[in-house]
Amino acid sequence: MPAANSQPPRVRSGNQRDEAARLAVLHAADDLLVEHGFARLTIEAIARRAGVAKQTIYRWWPSKVEILLDTLIEDSEKRFPVPVEKSTEDSIRGYFRGFARFVTRDPAGKVLLALIAEAQHNPETARSLHSRYLDPRRELERDLLTRGIEAGEVSPRLDLDATIDAVVGPVVYRALTGASVPRGLVDALFDELLKPGA
Amino acid sequence: MPAANSQPPRVRSGNQRDEAARLAVLHAADDLLVEHGFARLTIEAIARRAGVAKQTIYRWWPSKVEILLDTLIEDSEKRFPVPVEKSTEDSIRGYFRGFARFVTRDPAGKVLLALIAEAQHNPETARSLHSRYLDPRRELERDLLTRGIEAGEVSPRLDLDATIDAVVGPVVYRALTGASVPRGLVDALFDELLKPGA
Amino acid sequence: MPAANSQPPRVRSGNQRDEAARLAVLHAADDLLVEHGFARLTIEAIARRAGVAKQTIYRWWPSKVEILLDTLIEDSEKRFPVPVEKSTEDSIRGYFRGFARFVTRDPAGKVLLALIAEAQHNPETARSLHSRYLDPRRELERDLLTRGIEAGEVSPRLDLDATIDAVVGPVVYRALTGASVPRGLVDALFDELLKPGA
Amino acid sequence: MPAANSQPPRVRSGNQRDEAARLAVLHAADDLLVEHGFARLTIEAIARRAGVAKQTIYRWWPSKVEILLDTLIEDSEKRFPVPVEKSTEDSIRGYFRGFARFVTRDPAGKVLLALIAEAQHNPETARSLHSRYLDPRRELERDLLTRGIEAGEVSPRLDLDATIDAVVGPVVYRALTGASVPRGLVDALFDELLKPGA
DNA sequence: GTTTAAGCGAGACGGTACGTCAAGTCTTAAA
DNA sequence: TTTAAGACTTGACGTACCGTCTCGCTTAAAC
């Protein structure tokens, strides 16, 4: 989807929040991150690209991190939702594969990595990232595993959180440091830590 | 060791690189990172704190990342060197525990986390971090495991790199996102992935 | 008028150019030139003294030379305007005397001398000085003499420009080199080069 | 004469002042002034160009102004010495023409203009310029005119200094501001102010 | 002869100012 | 009331020179 930049000016809505402006900001942020990296993702640049005044951004988002979180939440839900009904071995394995694909090959995955990185630099980011993204998803992931265990589809060797971290952590770690993430890594970890009857 | 700031002026070494200035910069960078975080770790602040001219920093380091790498390399070697002789189960387990301790409780460990985070934002950082720190250590870690396997002290379920990432990744992932790292996490992962005869 | 420094903060004008900031810069530049000379007239110092951000200066003036030109144009018009109606011998002689007084005794005259000096070092300055100050005034000065000739009040021995330079040049030359400018110099030159019937 | 740069290293003279280094500095300063203007005439650049250590410059010259004065004194004596024997109308007129030619067409004349300009910015420069260059030459110029008067070759309308300034000033003024200096200007001034029997 | 002393190229050092960029705050005017 | 526009202060960026300093070398004069 193209940026809203250099297009016929949007119709202004006057009194109401301008949905077009909101979307233009989200897309601009997304595009800039993918195209130029986090370092050049500045509020000025987003405003320029989105054809929006800086003040409009500051009015609605407390920081660029929250902009990214908004896009991340929407994109994650589209690209690899946590299965809420089926809990077969395959659907669980598929979910983790989906996560790895998102993080390593989907441009939108860059947003998650950038936010994790930023969380280290900035406690405020860590808090937002947890409360708005990581924690709610972790809740659903725990439910997924719990249902899988009850159905005998998986049998985790460690406690639930440790198990999820043990699969997710190595993928994120390699992605963050710019190392490749081997195709079979997730499967190997799954087999070792979750596969039933092993 | 305190910063060199507000102390009697160093003796100048004339034509040669000033070792005291080098150390003052490394310590200032370290201190600032721990005290104020990566965001406020600016070249100006380092120079101010170290009592050193900005130009002196630019003369010897191409970026603040390289300053941090210098301190990280020195500190890691002191705090949790990769064992190069013994390769017992305990020394290997101890090494991973040392890593977790460094990353979660040692102030110097903040430097590693900051660099991993920065590597995501900046490919140049990723390259330096690998070539000067991660890769050389990984080499030693592989040697450590190889010797351990030959001696029957450990028996990895996955290939060497995947095994190391499987232990290190979750720790780093949790540390980065500001989550606590449970005491037993490393041991649990070790038991599951490396413990012999399991 | 004192510099705006260490005063209650100006009221900000928002979207419009801040006139108070503009004046503060002009006065600061003027004061610094008179007090500390051209060498210490830096953009940083002007900003500091005016209580204004450097960026505000760079936004409105391409160089410190243009700042000085702004003050010079305003001051010259106040202190020794070119007579535009009367063209008697006395008013013409008075104009040249006014010029000499401005250059040698008026603090604001330092600005003109500094700009002439800078014009030698910097062709860009020469261009601005001519187009914004010297040339427009020279036009008026020629008109003044032309009217004086027609009225029989003066009778130049040389062509118009040469005559004006012959009066102005020696004064500037002596002022620039730090020599005193004798009281009678202008009158002597006027008598020799312009006085009618000689 | 080429700069000493990028040449086989000079033979060092050991204990004695190195004449080659002295000349290299003078030529480098001269060349840089002509080629790049006063603004880029820095001590670093002179040292670089002359193939000389900064310290060598600081050892022998208190400032770059003194370097320029050294070259100016040598060049002036070569290019337009004050006549010390003949004092005919033609030799006096020729001297002033020589001055105008030096200042407007000789590259070495740039040095004089630069120093006059700098004198305005810097009282120290004004002092040196007077005591080492302007005043000694003025002495000789006065002698020249005095002899010319006694011989009936010239008859100044003003006092000696005013007369000299009245010829020199306009030329310098126009040269400084970047205006052209018309061929006949000096002659016209001479005729008006010095020509006998007028 | 050997020592001493100075000149030299080289270059590190603490500084100051440069001109640019983005941050986040604020005000106006139009919709 | 929301928006685009844009002026404002703040502060860091990386660079260029400043003037001081110390090093290691070379040479001429003093001993």
Side-chain angles (χ1 to χ4, degrees):
Chain A
M1 185 177 302
N5 197 16
S6 66
Q7 294 195 352
R10 290 186 301 282
V11 215
R12 300 267 205 78
S13 42
N15 213 354
Q16 308 295 115
R17 171 158 189 189
D18 184 342
E19 175 67 7
R22 186 185 141 265
L23 288 176
V25 168
L26 293 186
H27 292 147
D30 219 346
D31 294 353
L32 284 171
L33 182 68
V34 169
E35 289 171 27
H36 302 299
F38 191 87
R40 289 176 53 190
L41 182 72
T42 65
I43 299 280
E44 307 256 347
I46 296 173
R48 219 152 37 221
R49 173 103 168 208
V52 141
K54 270 198 301 177
Q55 188 53 40
T56 301
I57 298 182
Y58 284 111
R59 189 174 356 260
W60 298 109
W61 290 275
S63 72
K64 68 185 177 188
V65 160
E66 300 292 327
I67 303 176
L68 291 178
L69 262 176
D70 279 2
T71 81
L72 176 61
I73 289 167
E74 295 195 7
D75 287 346
S76 294
E77 197 49 41
K78 277 186 224 143
R79 307 300 220 290
F80 69 113
V82 186
V84 287
E85 308 210 332
K86 303 214 312 187
S87 303
T88 63
E89 183 187 334
D90 277 359
S91 73
I92 295 172
R93 185 193 297 267
Y95 171 71
F96 286 122
R97 280 178 176 166
F99 173 79
R101 194 185 321 113
F102 181 71
V103 152
T104 57
R105 277 183 285 279
D106 192 327
K110 282 276 171 205
V111 176
L112 175 55
L113 294 177
L115 287 174
I116 291 174
E118 196 57 17
Q120 161 56 23
H121 291 156
N122 189 329
E124 193 63 48
T125 299
R127 226 164 301 147
S128 283
L129 178 60
H130 269 285
S131 67
R132 300 193 51 205
Y133 185 79
L134 294 180
D135 291 352
R137 282 193 86 89
R138 178 57 60 101
E139 199 67 42
L140 296 176
E141 289 161 354
R142 271 194 294 253
D143 290 351
L144 174 69
L145 286 195
T146 304
R147 292 196 311 275
I149 293 166
E150 284 166 1
E153 295 278 334
V154 291
S155 61
R157 319 292 187 267
L158 311 172
D159 73 65
L160 283 188
D161 277 327
T163 300
I164 300 171
D165 289 335
V167 178
V168 163
V171 171
V172 168
Y173 174 64
R174 292 193 64 90
L176 277 177
T177 54
S180 65
V181 178
R183 289 258 163 193
L185 179 60
V186 167
D187 276 349
L189 290 165
F190 183 91
D191 289 347
E192 208 54 50
L193 296 164
L194 279 161
K195 197 175 182 179
Chain B
M1 187 180 300
N5 198 15
S6 67
Q7 293 195 352
R10 289 186 300 281
V11 223
R12 299 275 200 78
S13 41
N15 210 4
Q16 310 297 118
R17 175 157 189 189
D18 185 342
E19 175 67 9
R22 189 187 137 261
L23 289 177
V25 168
L26 294 185
H27 293 145
D30 219 345
D31 293 353
L32 284 171
L33 182 68
V34 169
E35 290 172 26
H36 302 297
F38 192 85
R40 288 176 54 191
L41 182 71
T42 64
I43 299 280
E44 305 249 356
I46 297 173
R48 223 153 31 222
R49 174 97 166 214
V52 139
K54 263 201 300 179
Q55 188 54 47
T56 298
I57 298 181
Y58 285 110
R59 185 165 16 242
W60 297 110
W61 291 277
S63 72
K64 66 186 177 185
V65 161
E66 299 292 325
I67 302 177
L68 291 177
L69 262 176
D70 278 3
T71 80
L72 177 61
I73 289 168
E74 294 194 9
D75 286 348
S76 294
E77 196 49 40
K78 278 187 222 142
R79 306 301 221 288
F80 69 113
V82 186
V84 286
E85 306 210 334
K86 302 212 318 185
S87 304
T88 62
E89 183 187 335
D90 277 2
S91 73
I92 296 171
R93 184 191 297 267
Y95 171 72
F96 286 121
R97 280 178 174 165
F99 173 79
R101 194 186 319 115
F102 181 72
V103 152
T104 58
R105 276 184 286 280
D106 192 326
K110 281 274 173 207
V111 176
L112 175 55
L113 294 176
L115 287 174
I116 291 174
E118 195 57 17
Q120 161 57 22
H121 290 157
N122 189 328
E124 192 63 48
T125 299
R127 224 163 304 148
S128 282
L129 179 60
H130 269 286
S131 67
R132 299 192 53 204
Y133 184 79
L134 294 180
D135 292 352
R137 281 193 87 89
R138 179 57 57 102
E139 199 66 41
L140 296 176
E141 290 162 353
R142 272 195 292 253
D143 291 350
L144 174 69
L145 287 195
T146 304
R147 290 195 311 275
I149 294 166
E150 284 166 2
E153 296 277 334
V154 290
S155 59
R157 317 294 187 266
L158 311 172
D159 73 67
L160 285 188
D161 278 326
T163 301
I164 300 170
D165 288 335
V167 178
V168 164
V171 172
V172 168
Y173 174 64
R174 293 193 64 90
L176 277 176
T177 54
S180 66
V181 176
R183 290 257 164 193
L185 180 59
V186 167
D187 276 348
L189 290 165
F190 183 91
D191 289 346
E192 211 53 51
L193 296 164
L194 279 160
K195 196 173 181 180
Chain C
M1 186 180 301
N5 196 15
S6 67
Q7 293 194 352
R10 290 186 299 283
V11 224
R12 297 274 202 78
S13 41
N15 210 3
Q16 311 296 121
R17 174 159 188 187
D18 184 342
E19 175 68 7
R22 187 185 139 263
L23 288 177
V25 168
L26 294 185
H27 292 145
D30 219 346
D31 294 353
L32 284 171
L33 182 67
V34 169
E35 290 173 25
H36 303 298
F38 192 86
R40 289 176 52 190
L41 182 72
T42 65
I43 299 281
E44 305 251 354
I46 297 173
R48 219 149 40 218
R49 172 99 167 213
V52 140
K54 264 200 303 178
Q55 187 56 47
T56 298
I57 297 182
Y58 283 109
R59 184 165 16 246
W60 298 109
W61 291 276
S63 71
K64 66 186 176 185
V65 160
E66 300 292 325
I67 302 176
L68 290 178
L69 263 176
D70 279 3
T71 79
L72 177 61
I73 289 167
E74 295 195 7
D75 286 348
S76 295
E77 197 49 40
K78 277 186 223 142
R79 306 302 220 291
F80 69 113
V82 185
V84 287
E85 308 210 333
K86 302 214 313 185
S87 303
T88 62
E89 182 187 335
D90 276 1
S91 72
I92 295 172
R93 185 191 297 268
Y95 171 71
F96 285 123
R97 279 178 176 165
F99 173 79
R101 194 186 319 113
F102 181 72
V103 153
T104 58
R105 278 183 284 281
D106 192 325
K110 281 275 173 207
V111 176
L112 174 55
L113 294 176
L115 287 174
I116 291 174
E118 196 56 18
Q120 159 58 23
H121 291 156
N122 188 327
E124 193 62 48
T125 299
R127 225 162 303 148
S128 284
L129 179 60
H130 268 286
S131 67
R132 299 193 53 206
Y133 185 80
L134 293 180
D135 293 351
R137 282 192 86 90
R138 178 58 58 102
E139 199 67 41
L140 296 176
E141 290 161 354
R142 272 194 293 252
D143 291 350
L144 174 69
L145 287 195
T146 302
R147 291 195 311 275
I149 293 167
E150 285 165 359
E153 296 277 334
V154 291
S155 60
R157 318 293 186 267
L158 311 172
D159 73 67
L160 284 189
D161 278 325
T163 300
I164 300 171
D165 289 334
V167 177
V168 164
V171 171
V172 168
Y173 174 64
R174 293 193 65 89
L176 277 176
T177 54
S180 65
V181 177
R183 289 259 162 193
L185 180 60
V186 167
D187 276 348
L189 290 165
F190 181 91
D191 289 346
E192 210 54 51
L193 296 164
L194 280 161
K195 196 173 181 180
Chain D
M1 188 177 301
N5 198 15
S6 68
Q7 294 194 350
R10 287 188 301 282
V11 221
R12 299 273 202 79
S13 40
N15 211 1
Q16 310 295 118
R17 173 158 190 188
D18 184 341
E19 176 66 9
R22 187 185 140 264
L23 289 176
V25 168
L26 293 185
H27 292 146
D30 220 347
D31 294 352
L32 285 171
L33 181 67
V34 169
E35 289 171 27
H36 303 298
F38 192 85
R40 289 175 54 189
L41 182 72
T42 65
I43 298 280
E44 305 253 350
I46 297 173
R48 217 150 40 219
R49 172 101 168 209
V52 140
K54 268 200 300 178
Q55 187 56 43
T56 300
I57 297 181
Y58 283 110
R59 184 167 12 247
W60 298 109
W61 290 276
S63 72
K64 68 184 176 189
V65 161
E66 301 292 326
I67 302 176
L68 290 177
L69 263 176
D70 280 3
T71 80
L72 176 61
I73 290 167
E74 294 194 8
D75 287 347
S76 294
E77 197 49 40
K78 278 187 224 141
R79 305 305 220 289
F80 69 113
V82 186
V84 288
E85 307 210 333
K86 303 212 316 184
S87 305
T88 62
E89 183 188 334
D90 277 1
S91 72
I92 295 172
R93 184 191 298 268
Y95 172 71
F96 285 122
R97 280 178 174 165
F99 173 78
R101 193 186 321 116
F102 181 72
V103 152
T104 58
R105 277 184 285 280
D106 191 327
K110 282 275 172 204
V111 176
L112 174 55
L113 294 176
L115 287 174
I116 291 173
E118 196 57 16
Q120 162 55 22
H121 291 157
N122 188 328
E124 193 61 50
T125 299
R127 224 163 303 144
S128 283
L129 179 60
H130 268 286
S131 66
R132 298 192 52 205
Y133 184 81
L134 294 179
D135 292 352
R137 282 193 87 90
R138 179 57 59 101
E139 199 67 41
L140 296 175
E141 290 160 354
R142 273 194 294 251
D143 290 351
L144 174 68
L145 287 194
T146 304
R147 289 196 312 274
I149 294 167
E150 285 166 359
E153 296 278 332
V154 291
S155 59
R157 318 294 186 267
L158 312 172
D159 73 65
L160 283 189
D161 278 324
T163 300
I164 300 170
D165 289 334
V167 178
V168 164
V171 172
V172 168
Y173 174 64
R174 292 193 65 90
L176 277 177
T177 54
S180 66
V181 177
R183 290 259 164 192
L185 180 59
V186 166
D187 276 348
L189 291 166
F190 182 91
D191 289 346
E192 210 53 51
L193 297 163
L194 280 160
K195 197 173 179 180

